[in-house]
Amino acid sequence: PVMLVPPSNAVARHELIRYPGGREGSFSFPSGVTGIRATAFEGGTNITGVAMSEGVGTVDAWTFVNCRSLTNVLIAASVTNIVGNAFAGCVNMQAMYFKGDAPQVADSAFAGHINATIYYRPGTKGWGPEFGGRPTAVWEGGIMGSATGAKGE
């Protein structure tokens, strides 16, 4: 099972603290997840794609570090910040799909997966020819590969 921290009186969010080891294929965040702990997916060797739920605001440092089988990610429109090394070492990353405006991004956020293309929806703001050092393109249709389990998003 996915490990979640329920909200307390002080913090009103559900946080994904660790991706279930041994799971293969694509992974969609459970409904209501609004945070991801640093290193939550670290070294997830069998994960091929991720679809984030709306409500997640930040992709923390080292969240997906060394997820070598990860080929694509669907980023929720609610994401406003991608911290340094969030996707470091994801050497097989091919595509990242952003549902909303361009978030803030650290220079080192995408270290180590040179061939990834960043796709964004028409009408969203803040996008240029590159994002975090990666080329961008308008997201016109479905999602490349098997990864997110969210085809037709």
Side-chain angles (χ1 to χ4, degrees):
V2 175
M3 295 172 61
L4 297 175
V5 175
S8 67
N9 291 336
V11 179
R13 68 185 215 167
H14 281 92
E15 188 172 56
L16 182 81
I17 58 172
R18 189 77 183 141
Y19 172 74
R23 228 180 130 162
E24 296 182 10
S26 62
F27 177 76
S28 293
F29 282 35
S31 178
V33 171
T34 57
I36 318 165
R37 245 204 222 148
T39 71
F41 289 81
E42 179 181 12
T45 57
N46 297 319
I47 187 168
T48 57
V50 171
M52 292 182 193
S53 58
E54 288 301 327
V56 172
T58 296
V59 181
D60 236 331
W62 310 107
T63 297
F64 295 96
V65 68
N66 295 325
C67 290
R68 298 187 181 280
S69 296
L70 189 60
T71 59
N72 60 68
V73 175
L74 178 63
I75 306 287
S78 56
V79 171
T80 59
N81 192 21
I82 301 176
V83 179
N85 296 304
F87 293 93
C90 296
V91 296
N92 289 303
M93 183 73 73
Q94 297 171 13
M96 299 182 80
Y97 298 90
F98 286 77
K99 294 175 82 176
D101 294 341
Q104 295 293 319
V105 63
D107 291 340
S108 63
F110 308 128
H113 53 84
I114 297 163
N115 296 321
T117 299
I118 305 297
Y119 292 92
Y120 61 91
R121 290 197 184 264
T124 56
K125 298 176 185 162
W127 300 102
E130 289 189 349
F131 178 76
R134 304 294 177 248
T136 62
V138 176
W139 175 13
E140 296 287 356
I143 295 175
M144 178 193 333
S146 64
T148 65
K151 301 255 186 230
E153 280 286 327

